[in-house]
Each structure stands twice: as C-alpha cells, then as structure tokens.
Amino acid sequence: MSVIDVGFDFSGRHVVVTGGARGTGLEIAEAFRACGARVSVTGTKILPSLYDADLDRFSYHQLQLASSEGIDSFVERIGQVDVLVNAAGARLPGAFDEHEREFLMHSARLGLVGPQRLTQQLRARLCSTAHAGGGAVVHTGQSLDWLTLTLPPAEAEAEFRSLTAQTGRAWSRLGARVNAVLAASRPNLPAQSSWAHRENGGAVITRLRPSATAADLASITLFLASSGARALSGQTFTADQHV
C-alpha cells in the first residue's frame, strides 16, 4: 500500500477513520498516520486480527453503525476527536427480518443510525478542537451508500450533496468544517480528463483525471482536513477512481 507524501502535518491530532480496517478507509488511515496523526480506525469485526491488514499501528474499535446504541457507546469511549473521516460502508445485520431491515434503512435515511448520527454525536468535540483550522469531517462515497439503501442512486447523491452543503455551512460557524470526496466511477458520474468547476446545490464539484486512485482520494482527504482548507466547508469533490 502506497501513501503519497504531500507535506501535511497532523501531529497532535486525533483522527478517527470509520471503515479504516480495509480498502480506501485503510489507505486514508495510513496517510494520516504518515503525517503524524494519532489514528483510530473502526471495523465491524470483534478483533483487529481478523482483518488481512496489520492494524497494530492504529487504535482499533469495533463499531456497528447500524446500531444507535453501538454509536453512543463508541462516542463515550473515543475521547477528543479532531478529524472524522466517514469511510464505513452500509452493512446491515443479516439476522434481521424484512420489517426490521426496512425500519433500519429508514432510520439511516433520517440520521438515527449510520454516519450522520455518528457525526452529530461528535459535533461538540470536533467544534472544540484547539488545532489550527478547527475540526474537520470528511465524508466519502461509503457515506453516500447509506442513502442508497432507500433512494435511487441519483436522488441519493443529490440529497448527499445537499446535506453536505447544509451541514458545512452550519458547522463552519461553530468551529468545524464538513466536506466530502466521492469517486466518479459511479454510473451517473462520467469521467473527465481535466479539471472543471461548477456550482451544484452550493457545492463545488471537482473532477480529476481518470487515473485517480485510492491514494489520490487519501490525498484529497488530507487536504480537506488540513488548516490549508479552513475556508472550505460544505463542498463535495468528485474524483474518478480506478482501484
């Protein structure tokens, strides 16, 4: 696994990466660690040794985002958080019957479970960070997946962008920023070979070259969490990704 050194310094910051035990989440966690951060990662498995990656260099926490109680318990024990990266996909318990699953999916849509609830539960800590640039939340495409549980992809993405813009504007007045980075490999996001900017629901959309990778997404996440991006909040960056 490669991490691009883009010169950021997150020394003294506590970064939480949900879904950081594998995939893009792990790449992002590695990038923050390489830049000096203390990194906590979450996964759904009981022990970190059950994952293929060596997670000993992180603080590992089991977290079931489909459980409001599980989220509350995690928030109670995690302590101060300076940066939150939501990279955990939507995984619903297989033991649930049809009605329970439907209730849970609508609960995720309303923000009663999932990354929205976790973000709100950590708001006070993120807004109280003493580090330059304030606290930062970066949503990834995995956060969008929670909305696709109940909405068609295009509608889910429109709502995701709108929520990011609204939350970003509100939190920027409180001392924290909320932004997002998505991979343009989704069917309704065609790849483009050059940089382009346009306005869409208050969010700036940036398309990267088609060769963007998970490491590129990690670099964008580092930038959005850095003090250099202190003026950015409520924005969604879109990168074409080939992993």
Side-chain angles (χ1 to χ4, degrees), residues 61-91:
H61 300 266
Q62 184 184 29
L63 173 61
Q64 298 286 351
L65 283 173
S67 166
S68 59
E69 292 82 3
I71 293 172
D72 293 345
S73 174
F74 172 77
V75 169
E76 287 180 3
R77 65 179 186 271
I78 195 60
Q80 174 61 33
V81 178
D82 304 298
V83 177
L84 171 64
V85 180
N86 283 310
R91 294 183 177 85

Side-chain angles (χ1 to χ4, degrees), residues 88-90 140-150 160 186:
T140 68
Q142 284 74 18
S143 294
L144 172 58
D145 290 342
W146 287 85
L147 292 177
T148 61
L149 292 173
T150 55
F160 177 80
R186 297 175 185 276

Side-chain angles (χ1 to χ4, degrees), residues 93-109:
F96 279 16
D97 62 31
E98 182 179 349
H99 296 295
E100 289 173 318
R101 289 175 65 84
E102 183 177 354
F103 174 78
L104 187 56
M105 287 188 294
H106 284 285
S107 295
R109 168 82 183 281

Side-chain angles (χ1 to χ4, degrees), residues 6-202:
V6 287
F8 296 114
D9 183 4
F10 287 93
S11 300
R13 288 174 171 81
H14 181 200
V15 178
V16 172
V17 183
T18 65
R22 57 186 170 190
T24 300
L26 178 58
E27 187 85 30
I28 292 171
E30 291 276 18
F32 275 106
R33 179 178 173 273
C35 293
R38 176 170 67 92
V39 181
S40 295
V41 300
T42 76
T44 57
K45 297 181 180 181
I46 298 176
L47 299 172
S49 58
L50 297 176
Y51 288 93
D52 293 335
D54 178 10
L55 302 179
D56 288 344
R57 52 201 178 276
F58 309 115
S59 176
Y60 176 81
H61 300 266
Q62 184 184 29
L63 173 61
Q64 298 286 351
L65 283 173
S67 166
S68 59
E69 292 82 3
I71 293 172
D72 293 345
S73 174
F74 172 77
V75 169
E76 287 180 3
R77 65 179 186 271
I78 195 60
Q80 174 61 33
V81 178
D82 304 298
V83 177
L84 171 64
V85 180
N86 283 310
R91 294 183 177 85
L92 302 184
F96 279 16
D97 62 31
E98 182 179 349
H99 296 295
E100 289 173 318
R101 289 175 65 84
E102 183 177 354
F103 174 78
L104 187 56
M105 287 188 294
H106 284 285
S107 295
R109 168 82 183 281
L110 296 173
L112 302 177
V113 295
Q116 288 187 64
R117 179 179 177 87
L118 175 63
T119 301
Q120 289 296 331
Q121 293 290 80
L122 289 173
R123 182 178 65 176
R125 299 179 208 184
L126 288 160
C127 291
S128 66
T129 181
H131 293 284
V137 176
V138 181
H139 294 295
T140 68
Q142 284 74 18
S143 294
L144 172 58
D145 290 342
W146 287 85
L147 292 177
T148 61
L149 292 173
T150 55
L151 292 173
E155 293 181 24
E157 186 175 330
E159 183 166 324
F160 177 80
R161 292 181 183 276
S162 177
L163 285 170
T164 301
Q166 293 172 18
T167 308
R169 287 194 296 268
W171 283 40
S172 64
R173 297 189 290 268
L174 302 173
R177 297 165 283 123
V178 180
N179 294 289
V181 56
L182 301 177
S185 55
R186 297 175 185 276
N188 58 318
L189 292 173
Q192 295 185 6
S193 58
S194 61
W195 292 85
H197 299 78
R198 63 183 174 87
E199 293 295 326
N200 181 2

